[in-house]
Amino acid sequence: MKILLLGKNGQVGWELQRSLAPLGALTALDRQGGSGLCGDLSDLEGLAATVRTLQPQVIVNAAAYTAVDKAESEPELARCINAEAPAVLAREAQACGALLVHYSTDYVFDGSGDQPWAEGAPTGPLSVYGVTKLAGEQAIVQSGCAHLILRTSWVYAARGGNFAKTMLRLAQERERLTVIDDQWGAPTGAELIADVTAHAIAQTRQQPGKAGIYHLAPAGETTWHAYAKYVIAQARQAQDAIKIKATEIAPIPTSTYPTSARRPHNSRLNTHKLQTAFGLHLPPWQDGVRRMLAEIL
């Protein structure tokens, strides 16, 4: 089986290089491409030519425009990468009979209520980022290609920057931190996303009826404030060399921390469909965060 992976150096893409390798011959590209191949999602013609050249059985798109606030001032580029490029990949996947795996986000919802979002719930993105990610989903579905769209939330990894690393840095610099406490979700590790992806691809290749949209997040829920408290408490226990200066982590509402793009208050995702379809057990979010902290501390 030939697999094309786009976005190989992102948080999820880096882990996918590991998890996809046992499934088949993997061609992994970043924005620079290589060997005459294009991995730049803003180059739509180059992207299409790459798929035609490789003729993969599986395309995994782990690349995206993810600068949520910047997207408000760069809507055309965000749309190109998040909507138009997936549409091109879907068209080419349909033409060569490939399975297209694509990642989406809780930002396709409006964040209302307090119940976990099911896959079929009405969408209502609040930001350019959310609008373009939803458009990418819709283009894939409308193309008729075999697809797995995995919506996830609050993604982190030991590699690269993440919320936990930012909190640890600030906790060493400041005595008082303020963190938003009215946005709910589940921190989702890139390792978990990559492993579930490989598992889902293997099953969907055998049982094409499993194609579709799924929600992928670990068990449990938290706020950014509780997440920060958990990270700093773990750091205090795990590593004496890290001198935590912060003595207070104060909760604040979203309204006191204005950003260019609106964030959903409710990012909880219902993962029952994923667990049932693929026979998966999704561990508590704390397990992945604890593992990530063990790597970086």
Side-chain angles (χ1 to χ4, degrees), residues 187-265:
T188 308
E191 280 188 345
L192 178 65
I193 295 170
D195 290 341
V196 168
T197 298
H199 191 80
I201 288 172
Q203 287 201 31
T204 305
R205 289 274 296 161
Q206 295 296 319
Q207 299 173 269
K210 291 189 176 183
I213 298 177
Y214 293 92
H215 288 173
L216 167 54
E221 60 184 49
T222 189
T223 64
W224 291 111
H225 175 255
Y227 182 13
K229 288 180 69 176
Y230 181 81
V231 165
I232 291 168
Q234 290 291 312
R236 282 196 173 104
Q237 293 175 21
Q239 180 58 271
D240 291 337
I242 290 185
K243 301 301 181 187
I244 300 296
K245 190 175 182 180
T247 56
E248 182 185 3
I249 306 170
I252 59 169
T254 300
S255 58
T256 65
Y257 187 73
T259 55
S260 300
R262 290 175 63 195
R263 265 71 171 172
H265 285 274

Side-chain angles (χ1 to χ4, degrees), residues 7-110:
K8 71 172 187 178
N9 288 325
Q11 290 185 321
V12 175
W14 183 257
E15 292 295 338
L16 282 165
Q17 291 186 70
R18 167 190 57 77
S19 69
L20 296 177
L23 297 184
L26 178 64
T27 299
L29 301 176
D30 60 12
R31 196 178 305 161
Q32 281 68 48
S35 303
L37 301 174
C38 173
D40 183 351
L41 266 66
S42 66
D43 182 352
L44 303 181
E45 290 185 7
L47 209 55
T50 292
V51 177
R52 291 173 192 160
T53 297
L54 292 174
Q55 291 289 300
Q57 280 79 49
V58 178
I59 302 167
V60 182
N61 179 30
Y65 186 110
T66 57
V68 175
D69 288 317
K70 197 174 181 183
E72 297 295 314
S73 59
E74 292 185 340
E76 296 84 3
L77 182 58
R79 175 165 289 276
C80 179
I81 293 172
N82 289 344
E84 294 171 13
V88 167
L89 291 174
R91 183 191 71 209
E92 297 302 326
Q94 171 73 346
C96 68
L99 170 66
L100 175 60
V101 181
H102 180 74
Y103 299 96
S104 193
T105 170
D106 60 281
Y107 279 55
V108 301
F109 299 111
D110 67 7

Side-chain angles (χ1 to χ4, degrees), residues 78-79 82-84 86 102-110 119 121-142 149 151 213:
R79 175 165 289 276
N82 289 344
E84 294 171 13
H102 180 74
Y103 299 96
S104 193
T105 170
D106 60 281
Y107 279 55
V108 301
F109 299 111
D110 67 7
E119 286 81 357
T123 53
L126 303 173
S127 62
V128 168
Y129 170 71
V131 167
T132 60
K133 290 298 288 183
L134 178 59
E137 288 186 16
Q138 292 170 336
I140 292 169
V141 173
Q142 290 166 7
I149 296 172
R151 291 178 181 150
I213 298 177

Side-chain angles (χ1 to χ4, degrees), residues 109-176:
F109 299 111
D110 67 7
S112 61
D114 58 7
Q115 295 302 304
W117 295 99
E119 286 81 357
T123 53
L126 303 173
S127 62
V128 168
Y129 170 71
V131 167
T132 60
K133 290 298 288 183
L134 178 59
E137 288 186 16
Q138 292 170 336
I140 292 169
V141 173
Q142 290 166 7
S143 76
C145 77
H147 61 269
L148 287 169
I149 296 172
L150 302 175
R151 291 178 181 150
T152 188
S153 67
W154 296 16
V155 177
Y156 69 86
R159 174 185 168 89
N162 63 47
F163 174 80
K165 287 183 180 179
T166 300
M167 289 300 102
L168 288 173
R169 175 177 58 80
L170 293 176
Q172 294 173 75
E173 298 172 355
R174 305 178 186 176
E175 293 182 355
R176 184 177 188 268

